[in-house]
Amino acid sequence: MSFLRWMPPVLALLSLGATGCPGNSGSSEPKPAPSPEVSVSLSGVDTSSLTPRERREWAAQVSELLSPCPDTPVSIAQCVKEQRPCKACLPAAQLLLKQVKEGRSKKEREEAFRMRFDASKIRTLATDGSPEMGPPDAPITIVEWADFECPFCRLMSPLLEGLVKRFDGQVRLVFKFYPLAAHVHGESAARAATAALNQGKFWEMHHLIFENQDKLEQADLERYAQRLKLDMVKFRADLVSPETKARIEKDKKQAEEVGLEGTPLVFINGREVDLQLLTNPGDDLEAWVKLDLELLGKEPRPAPPKPADAPASGSTTPAGSAIPAASGSAPAGSAARPAASAGPAQPAQPRKP
């Protein structure tokens, strides 16, 4: 199933400021103070496309913020200029440049920097027993909390699975349940996915549920189980078992401990990904994983070749699809932000490939 055809609706939702099924939160931002007059030129950072005002804002921020490495207590600009050993300094300067280009406020730019590079933001999450895709020893672990009735989770799902395939052998995806109180079928869908997990068919049920997000009544869930050739006696028993309820509650409790505010909630190697700070989710997530691999001293898998602009046969080359792996478990590091049950969600438009 190709996740490329999902990008237009993802970007459409983001253009409306929608990044997930929300919790009870709100924020207001003061107007930024004028940036001081600073001129900075760094090797590896092209500021030629910036306006004079944007260049001043970027220069001021890379001169104010300290390098991402605790053992390099100098500004990002000085770190790059002096070629200090902190490998994250240049990517940090480039991140801030991108944020300036995208018109982000000073506060948003700093939040993006802290999210991506602040060592204190990393937290550890236990993932034992959770369904997973990709090798258990992959250098990159993505953890997602999702609600099966959340339209934004449906849109995010193929992007995350696409990363497992794009970086074959280097990325592991871990799924955690967080059925939202606002979604009447979220709990029953999570139970059905757990029952399927008990028979080794979690990802298959995961895909069927998201593909049929508007059809999640009990009869629908049983029909999906029959399509997967599950043992129906066991499936029905697992739907209502105390063990199934306990598994889901364990995930919810963990999410609330780290501060979930809505779904999907995504972490990459211990860092929460603030979806509001992404411009193009597909590209931004791929770049995030690629940089993490490089900072770990790993060579990222090369990107697959793009299809020819004009194939001789006149046919188009099908886009790659994420291939689900067997479910399993393993502990992994992850970061997060505190949680809550969410408010009303917007309807999803596309079908999941």
Side-chain angles (χ1 to χ4, degrees):
M1 64 194 146
S2 169
F3 68 90
L4 296 179
R5 64 187 174 121
W6 280 57
M7 289 310 300
V10 171
L11 296 176
L13 283 173
L14 289 177
S15 70
L16 296 174
T19 56
C21 294
N24 301 320
S25 63
S27 62
S28 59
E29 182 181 322
K31 293 183 179 180
S35 300
E37 296 291 331
V38 181
S39 177
V40 174
S41 177
L42 301 179
S43 177
V45 184
D46 182 5
T47 62
S48 61
S49 63
L50 300 182
T51 66
R53 175 188 59 79
E54 290 172 337
R55 196 172 293 113
R56 289 194 300 271
E57 290 180 356
W58 171 80
Q61 207 151 26
V62 295
S63 299
E64 294 169 1
L65 293 173
L66 291 180
S67 85
C69 300
D71 58 353
T72 309
V74 299
S75 71
I76 295 171
Q78 184 177 344
C79 178
V80 176
K81 283 182 177 179
E82 297 177 356
Q83 299 183 340
R84 297 291 185 101
C86 178
K87 294 190 294 185
C89 285
L90 180 58
Q94 293 168 337
L95 170 71
L96 291 169
L97 175 71
K98 182 178 180 181
Q99 293 285 309
V100 169
K101 286 182 177 180
E102 291 168 358
R104 304 286 189 179
S105 68
K106 180 179 180 181
K107 180 174 181 289
E108 289 172 328
R109 297 194 301 268
E110 183 166 344
E111 286 175 348
F113 168 75
R114 301 291 181 203
M115 170 188 73
R116 191 65 187 87
F117 295 108
D118 189 344
S120 69
K121 296 291 186 182
I122 298 176
R123 298 176 65 171
T124 299
L125 297 177
T127 62
D128 52 299
S130 295
E132 62 181 32
M133 177 186 296
D137 60 349
I140 304 297
T141 292
I142 300 174
V143 179
E144 177 198 23
W145 269 278
D147 170 276
F148 282 112
E149 207 171 6
C150 168
F152 306 96
C153 297
R154 182 185 181 187
L155 292 170
M156 182 59 65
S157 174
L159 299 183
L160 298 181
E161 292 185 29
L163 292 173
V164 177
K165 181 177 182 183
R166 161 66 181 86
F167 297 95
D168 184 29
Q170 297 181 310
V171 172
R172 177 178 68 134
L173 173 62
V174 178
F175 182 94
K176 288 184 175 289
F177 300 98
Y178 198 93
L180 299 165
H183 294 157
V184 296
H185 300 102
E187 177 77 19
S188 57
R191 286 173 172 269
T194 302
L197 171 65
N198 293 342
Q199 298 190 46
K201 292 291 183 70
F202 170 79
W203 292 106
E204 292 87 344
M205 180 64 81
H206 169 283
H207 296 149
L208 281 173
I209 291 174
F210 273 136
E211 287 167 5
N212 301 277
Q213 199 173 51
D214 58 341
K215 297 176 182 177
L216 298 178
E217 299 296 339
Q218 179 71 21
D220 298 317
L221 297 172
E222 291 199 8
R223 188 169 67 254
Y224 307 148
Q226 290 170 343
R227 189 185 304 181
L228 296 176
K229 303 186 184 306
L230 300 184
D231 179 332
M232 293 306 296
V233 173
K234 177 172 174 54
F235 178 79
R236 293 188 180 104
D238 287 346
L239 278 178
V240 296
S241 73
E243 291 78 14
T244 294
K245 178 178 175 60
R247 173 185 285 274
I248 295 170
E249 289 302 316
K250 178 182 177 182
D251 282 357
K252 291 178 65 176
K253 182 176 184 294
Q254 187 181 26
E256 287 160 2
E257 288 173 350
V258 298
L260 180 146
E261 295 179 351
T263 58
L265 179 60
V266 179
F267 306 93
I268 301 179
N269 270 19
R271 293 184 180 277
E272 180 187 352
V273 180
D274 188 340
L275 302 179
Q276 297 184 47
L277 297 177
L278 301 184
T279 300
N280 183 317
D283 290 347
D284 292 348
L285 290 170
E286 180 176 344
W288 185 307
V289 170
K290 184 174 181 290
L291 176 59
D292 268 10
L293 286 168
E294 292 170 346
L295 293 177
L296 289 170
K298 308 289 184 180
E299 182 69 28
R301 294 276 186 270
K306 294 182 179 180
D309 292 335
S313 63
S315 62
T316 57
T317 303
S321 60
I323 302 174
S327 60
S329 63
S334 285
R337 184 179 57 186
S341 148
Q346 299 182 17
Q349 300 299 326
R351 286 183 59 82
K352 180 178 179 295

